[in-house]
Amino acid sequence: MDLRAIAALTFTMIVWGVSPVFFRSLSLALGPSDHLAIRYALSALLFLVILAAIRFWRIRREDWPRMLFVSIIGFGGYSVGSAFGFERIAAGTGSLIIGTQPLLMALIAALAGKERLTAAALAGLAVGFAGIVFLVWNDLGVTGDPVQFLTGCAMIFASGTCWAIYAVGSKPLAQRYGSLPITAMSMAVSSVALVLLFARPSTLAAAGAMTLRTWLELAYLVLFVTGLTMVTWTYGAARLSSAAAGAFLYLVPPIGVAAGALMLGETVTGGMIVGGTLIMAGVAMAQFGGRLGGRSMAGRGMAALAAVLFAVTMWGLIPVAMRYLVTELSPQAAMVLRLYPAGLLAVLVLISAGGVRRIAWRDWVRIAIASLAGNLGYQILAAYGMQTVPASWTGLLFGLEPVFIALFAVILAGDRLTPWLIAGIAVSMLGTGALMLGSTLAPSGDVSLLGLVLVTLSTMGWGIYTVVIRPASRKYGALPVASLAMAISALPMPFFVDTSFPSTLASMNATAWMAVGFVVVFGTFLATSAWNYALGHMESSIAGVFLYVQPVVAAIGGVLLLGESLTWPLLLGGVLIILGVAIAQFGPLMRRTRLRPNAAAAMQLQ
């Protein structure tokens, strides 16, 4: 494990994710024109020094038209669109729109005849651009000036298009001269052009009136965003596989949204959540979709994609439905209404499947422990915890399940404790700590520390269930053992039925019954069946990527369906939990595979 490469890429993503905050702050403080002139006057000096240090000045005459085009139209257009766009719209909104850059790169490469648009790329383009439309359309009604908002969104999108032109157009130059020399030369050329275009007599006066904060923000963009991250990205990407390095880029949009909320006090809207999710889903489909079904996504590949998306969406909505039932009824009633019908359904599945073959007494003990201590404990703790924990928070804590499964596999099954698992547990526990700290620093009737502890413990219960039940599942079959465990988990439910239960059933409205039906049929039976189908038609590592959709779906469902609020503990804790799970789950897959120079240039963001 190359911890230095991981640290370099993590640092790079944080710097890039926070940069829209300073783009917007400087454009508002100085005006876009003076922002560009002052910033790129300093950038020009920086890259001229870099060119002198690496002694690179000569480019063939036939390559200069391409160099001027990608520098001025590509990078220059990106810089102009960003400066003027972020003056008009929130940093969080702009960072989500910029997140479409990989899609735009695929489209530009296809239009230039460099690459072929696959079915996966076309599907990703459709979903990603649908996310932009939803984001803009949903937030249009809540902005003070719709014309300015639309203009700003268009400028940010245009800046992403220009960056895609730069990334695709500079590939041949990077292949011939190397990524670092071409990056430095193109930045120097574009910086000089931007200074000549936007410098005015008043620019010197604006520079003289800059405050210490403005100078620090400018230094951050010039030294960190434009300069240092060029080194850290190249270092990290050269020591990990292209897929591993590219996965880090998914951190940039959520970091941008969180930074805008925490540093500028921006409001995180439902449109940003749904639109941002669609944008990142589109990028993921374009990047990974081609691996679902061999050469294309047709037939079984598309069906597997639809199945895995259905499964994780249903699982993500379970906390929303259970939160509604717990608050409308009671934890006991919600638990009985979920487990008892599910247990009956499991018995019917066992009967229709011809039962289960004879089970040894030792395995009966294992299944009973897994069912009662693991699954039932998980259900009880979650039901009572959700009384004082919103669905969006519960969904994020449920996202800890892969980490706890790996941890209990070490404790109970003798699996090896890897540095990746240690690092993942540490980061995800920091996220859990952020949620708990937020509940104490900003207490409200909607979130309690005790509820967070109970939900976290319930997630541990699921980890115990998964590890303990695994040997029996391998021995007797996954479906029969899972059905048997569900039936056993439902046996204690009569102990949770009190005298008020009949009147509770009689008072339930149509929405409550729909929530029960959703949890039992869609969230349990159909989602599990869809997941198993998807695993049969795609790589497990690819299917595992889609599990990160669950916490996002829970957050979206809580905000849109239950009217929950997005707070800084939720955003910060969510990012850390997802990052920790990703480190523990996918860290071992990373290899010291050197990234080609043109790939590094294409993936460079700033």
Side-chain angles (χ1 to χ4, degrees):
M1 177 176 65
D2 195 332
L3 289 177
R4 288 176 295 181
I6 300 298
L9 291 180
T10 302
F11 170 81
T12 305
M13 297 309 109
I14 294 173
V15 171
W16 287 349
V18 174
S19 62
V21 170
F22 298 115
F23 288 161
R24 177 163 172 77
S25 180
L26 285 171
S27 289
L28 291 174
L30 302 175
S33 297
D34 287 338
H35 166 199
L36 288 168
I38 297 171
R39 175 184 171 189
Y40 284 103
L42 299 176
S43 295
L45 294 175
L46 173 65
F47 283 104
L48 287 174
V49 170
I50 292 175
L51 287 171
I54 63 177
R55 299 181 180 180
F56 179 79
W57 302 103
R58 297 181 62 83
I59 292 180
R60 297 177 185 177
R61 180 179 299 178
E62 62 268 22
D63 290 330
W64 269 109
R66 178 181 290 271
M67 170 60 72
L68 293 174
F69 178 78
V70 299
S71 301
I72 297 174
I73 303 300
F75 187 80
Y78 160 77
S79 302
V80 172
S82 297
F84 282 88
F86 278 112
E87 183 194 27
R88 292 165 169 78
I89 65 173
T93 302
S95 66
L96 292 175
I97 296 176
I98 286 180
T100 60
Q101 284 178 346
L103 297 176
L104 294 170
M105 288 166 58
L107 181 60
I108 295 297
L111 293 176
K114 301 294 184 181
E115 297 177 7
R116 185 176 62 88
L117 271 182
T118 64
L122 289 172
L125 285 168
V127 173
F129 292 152
I132 293 180
V133 172
F134 187 93
L135 169 66
V136 174
W137 182 263
N138 188 81
D139 288 2
L140 186 62
V142 298
T143 55
D145 188 341
V147 175
Q148 178 168 289
F149 178 76
L150 286 174
T151 304
C153 291
M155 288 179 172
I156 295 296
F157 185 79
S159 75
T161 304
C162 288
W163 179 261
I165 292 173
Y166 171 79
V168 174
S170 63
K171 274 188 178 183
L173 298 175
Q175 290 172 336
R176 175 171 292 181
Y177 300 100
S179 59
L180 178 59
I182 289 302
T183 299
M185 178 64 78
S186 61
M187 296 293 182
V189 171
S190 61
S191 296
V192 171
L194 289 170
V195 171
L196 294 176
L197 184 62
F198 289 101
R200 302 170 297 178
S202 61
T203 301
L204 289 177
M210 288 172 59
T211 64
L212 176 61
R213 172 179 173 174
T214 309
W215 278 112
L216 290 175
E217 291 175 345
L218 191 65
Y220 177 89
L221 293 181
V222 173
L223 298 178
F224 286 87
V225 176
T226 307
L228 184 57
T229 55
M230 180 178 66
V231 177
T232 56
W233 169 261
T234 304
Y235 175 87
R239 285 160 175 78
L240 299 178
S241 67
S242 299
F248 278 84
L249 297 175
Y250 289 92
L251 295 174
V252 174
I255 290 175
V257 174
L262 297 176
M263 302 173 69
L264 299 179
E266 297 175 353
T267 301
V268 181
T269 65
M272 292 172 66
I273 298 174
V274 178
T277 300
L278 288 173
I279 288 170
M280 287 190 286
V283 174
M285 290 171 66
Q287 282 189 314
F288 299 112
R291 297 171 63 183
L292 297 178
R295 297 182 178 179
S296 70
M297 288 180 61
R300 292 183 178 179
M302 283 296 293
L305 176 62
V308 74
L309 288 174
F310 173 81
V312 296
T313 301
M314 295 302 101
W315 288 338
L317 289 174
I318 283 180
V320 179
M322 286 300 295
R323 166 73 170 173
Y324 174 80
L325 291 173
V326 165
T327 54
E328 287 294 315
L329 307 177
S330 69
Q332 302 96 306
M335 189 167 50
V336 171
L337 289 170
R338 178 184 184 182
L339 283 182
Y340 198 71
L344 292 177
L345 183 61
V347 171
L348 293 176
V349 170
L350 280 174
I351 294 174
S352 63
V356 61
R357 62 191 177 91
R358 185 179 179 85
I359 298 176
W361 279 107
R362 177 180 295 181
D363 294 325
W364 270 113
V365 173
R366 176 181 292 277
I367 294 172
I369 292 175
S371 304
L372 300 177
N375 187 37
L376 182 60
Y378 156 74
Q379 302 288 351
I380 294 173
L381 293 170
Y384 283 93
M386 276 190 246
Q387 277 187 301
T388 54
V389 178
S392 51
W393 294 54
T394 301
L396 287 176
L397 291 173
F398 281 175
L400 290 168
E401 288 173 358
V403 171
F404 286 134
I405 291 171
L407 177 61
F408 285 111
V410 172
I411 297 173
L412 301 176
D415 285 9
R416 189 169 63 91
L417 182 64
T418 66
W420 290 106
L421 179 56
I422 295 173
I425 292 173
V427 175
S428 58
M429 288 300 100
L430 283 176
T432 306
L435 292 177
M436 294 182 177
L437 181 63
S439 70
T440 57
L441 294 180
S444 68
D446 203 31
V447 185
S448 76
L449 180 60
L450 176 60
L452 291 172
V453 171
L454 290 176
V455 173
T456 303
L457 291 175
S458 76
T459 308
M460 292 184 181
W462 183 258
I464 294 173
Y465 166 81
T466 303
V467 173
V468 173
I469 204 76
R470 186 181 297 164
S473 297
R474 292 174 177 172
K475 189 174 181 180
Y476 301 101
L479 179 60
V481 171
S483 300
L484 188 59
M486 181 61 68
I488 294 174
S489 301
L491 290 178
M493 286 303 100
F495 294 102
F496 293 92
V497 176
D498 55 21
T499 55
S500 64
F501 188 71
S503 60
T504 300
L505 293 180
S507 64
M508 287 175 59
N509 55 29
T511 304
W513 282 113
M514 288 176 61
V516 172
F518 169 80
V519 170
V520 174
V521 178
F522 287 87
T524 302
F525 181 72
L526 293 180
T528 303
S529 300
W531 176 260
N532 291 336
Y533 173 84
L535 288 180
H537 296 87
M538 69 170 65
E539 298 175 25
S540 298
S541 60
I542 298 301
V545 172
F546 287 92
L547 290 174
Y548 294 91
V549 175
Q550 289 185 67
V552 179
V553 171
I556 295 172
V559 171
L560 298 183
L561 299 178
L562 301 180
E564 296 175 357
S565 301
L566 286 173
T567 59
W568 70 263
L570 179 65
L571 294 171
L572 177 60
V575 170
L576 289 174
I577 287 173
I578 293 174
L579 176 60
V581 174
I583 292 173
Q585 194 171 18
F586 297 108
L589 301 179
M590 298 183 179
R591 294 291 183 268
R592 299 171 63 91
T593 302
R594 186 166 186 82
L595 192 66
R596 296 188 305 272
N598 61 314
M603 298 174 77
Q604 177 82 27
L605 284 182
Q606 303 294 342

